[in-house]
């Protein structure tokens, strides 16, 4: 793969979209950027993209994030303990009888699953980051790029029925993917080349023929929504480089299929390299 010289002095910004466990493919794409010697000057993320984007912006490499994730998922007992630690406490469950057996607290989840060393504030990240969430009261998008980091990311990952709405100084936040699952629009003007990594599910052949459970229906409905929003955004105003790992067959909580999801991201490395080269050539690099 060519190194950064192929881009000349052109700068790159990266948006990491929402998609639950499918977003583990983001890590593979970040690894590819590292191998290319491309250091983003700005990042934006929604939901799983915000979780991974924040860790990468804190200074962890794609390879370090992959090793960290593989280590967490390799021991199911330790993973179960982390999830138990992340359980929401002190409030009634939402979607009782429909949602997951227990509700996750987003900030506790981040404490349990982020690598040690992620700072408390946006201002202390090595790469500027924008996190997109949904303001539950106003039913609209809200973006964060300064102030406390954990509440913003926890809000962005608050998938209804799985993660409890996150209380912040601006109100309760829920999943950023509900309003902007691929927030590359927040990177406009921040770099010469904007890369968007779409893991919202895309489309593909049917993989489930059994009657879905209520919980599966809720999760897939969210996937259909985010995929539709992303598709419309891309059609109306495409990013300079679009990377779309083939992850449509995975559900939002398919964490134990991580190696296959990583592989789907790995398969996009040539697409990323060629896309960056074409974008740089178009700009006259």
């Amino acid at each position: 793969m060519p190194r950064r010289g192929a881009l000349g002095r052109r700068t790159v910004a990266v948006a990491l979209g929402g998609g639950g466990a499918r977003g583990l493919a983001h890590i593979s794409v970040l690894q590819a950027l590292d191998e290319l010697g491309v250091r983003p000057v700005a990042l934006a993320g929604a939901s799983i993209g915000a979780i991974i984007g924040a860790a990468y912006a804190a200074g962890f490499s794609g390879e370090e994030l992959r090793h960290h994730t593989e280590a967490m998922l390799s021991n199911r007992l330790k993973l179960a303990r982390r999830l138990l630690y992340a359980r929401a406490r002190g409030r009634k469950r939402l979607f009782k009888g429909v949602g997951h057996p227990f509700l996750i607290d987003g900030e506790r989840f981040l404490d349990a699953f982020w690598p040690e060393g992620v700072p408390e504030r946006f201002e202390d990240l090595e790469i500027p980051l924008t996190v997109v969430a949904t303001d539950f009261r106003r039913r609209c998008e809200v973006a964060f790029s300064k102030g406390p980091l954990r509440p913003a990311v926890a809000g962005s990952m608050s998938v209804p029925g799985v993660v409890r709405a996150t209380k912040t100084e601006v109100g309760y936040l829920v999943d950023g993917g509900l309003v902007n699952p691929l927030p590359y629009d927040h990177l406009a003007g921040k770099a010469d080349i904007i890369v968007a990594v779409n893991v919202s599910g895309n489309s593909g052949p049917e993989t489930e023929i059994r009657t879905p459970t209520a919980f599966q229906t809720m999760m897939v409905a969210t996937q259909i929504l985010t995929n539709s929003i992303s598709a419309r955004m891309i059609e109306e105003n495409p990013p300079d480089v679009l990377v779309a790992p083939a992850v449509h067959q995975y559900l939002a909580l398919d964490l134990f299929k991580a190696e296959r999801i990583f592989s789907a991201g790995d398969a996009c490395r040539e697409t990323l390299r060629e896309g960056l080269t074409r974008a740089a050539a178009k700009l006259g690099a």
Side-chain angles (χ1 to χ4, degrees):
M1 282 186 168
R3 309 304 290 179
R4 183 177 173 82
L7 300 182
R9 296 180 178 274
R10 301 301 182 181
T11 55
V12 174
V14 180
L16 305 177
R22 297 185 299 276
L24 295 177
H26 287 319
I27 295 175
S28 301
V29 176
L30 294 174
Q31 281 185 281
L33 284 173
D34 292 341
E35 292 172 5
L36 284 165
V38 176
R39 181 70 167 172
V41 297
L43 295 165
S47 199
I48 184 68
I51 299 172
I52 294 172
Y56 188 74
F60 293 94
S61 68
E63 183 177 12
E64 288 171 332
L65 292 177
R66 186 160 180 166
H67 289 328
H68 174 75
T69 303
E70 289 173 336
M72 284 194 306
L73 298 178
S74 65
N75 188 316
R76 295 198 177 202
L77 179 59
K78 288 185 177 180
L79 177 64
R81 288 174 177 169
R82 288 176 185 264
L83 288 171
L84 286 173
Y85 169 82
R87 288 184 67 175
R89 302 173 184 180
R91 302 183 203 170
K92 293 182 180 179
R93 299 176 189 172
L94 298 178
F95 303 106
K96 187 175 181 181
V98 176
H100 208 245
F102 57 82
L103 203 61
I104 295 293
D105 179 284
E107 292 191 61
R108 291 178 68 86
F109 179 91
L110 296 174
D111 288 339
F113 286 91
W114 259 346
E116 292 186 12
V118 177
E120 295 295 326
R121 299 183 64 83
F122 280 89
E123 291 85 350
D124 296 323
L125 295 170
E126 293 185 7
I127 302 174
L129 171 70
T130 299
V131 169
V132 170
T134 301
D135 185 314
F136 181 80
R137 180 179 61 84
R138 294 187 296 152
R139 275 65 162 173
C140 67
E141 178 181 344
V142 58
F144 299 88
S145 57
K146 60 183 179 180
L149 179 65
R150 276 171 173 74
V153 176
S156 184
M157 63 168 278
S158 292
V159 178
V162 180
V163 183
R164 182 172 66 187
T166 301
K167 187 176 182 179
T168 71
E169 59 183 15
V170 301
Y172 284 96
L173 303 178
V174 293
D175 188 8
L178 298 175
V179 288
N180 192 346
L182 193 58
Y184 59 89
D185 54 319
H186 287 277
L187 298 174
K190 295 182 179 180
D192 300 313
I193 300 171
I194 296 176
V195 177
V197 187
N198 183 16
V199 294
S200 64
N202 309 308
S203 61
E206 182 178 342
T207 57
E208 176 63 64
I209 59 174
R210 293 173 296 177
T211 302
T213 65
F215 183 70
Q216 288 173 331
T217 300
M218 183 171 64
M219 290 293 96
V220 174
T222 301
Q223 177 181 337
I224 293 169
L225 170 66
T226 58
N227 187 33
S228 297
I229 296 172
S230 297
R232 186 173 67 250
M233 291 174 59
I234 293 166
E235 180 180 2
E236 293 177 354
N237 184 29
D240 300 306
V241 180
L242 177 64
V243 179
V247 292
H248 68 271
Q249 66 270 45
Y250 304 112
L251 296 177
L253 300 181
D254 278 342
L255 292 172
F256 291 115
K257 296 179 181 178
E259 286 305 319
R260 280 179 270 177
I261 296 172
F262 282 139
S263 294
D266 291 337
C268 294
R269 294 187 178 199
E270 188 63 19
T271 297
L272 174 64
R273 185 192 66 78
E274 291 178 353
L276 289 171
T277 300
R278 284 196 302 269
K282 187 175 180 180
L283 291 169

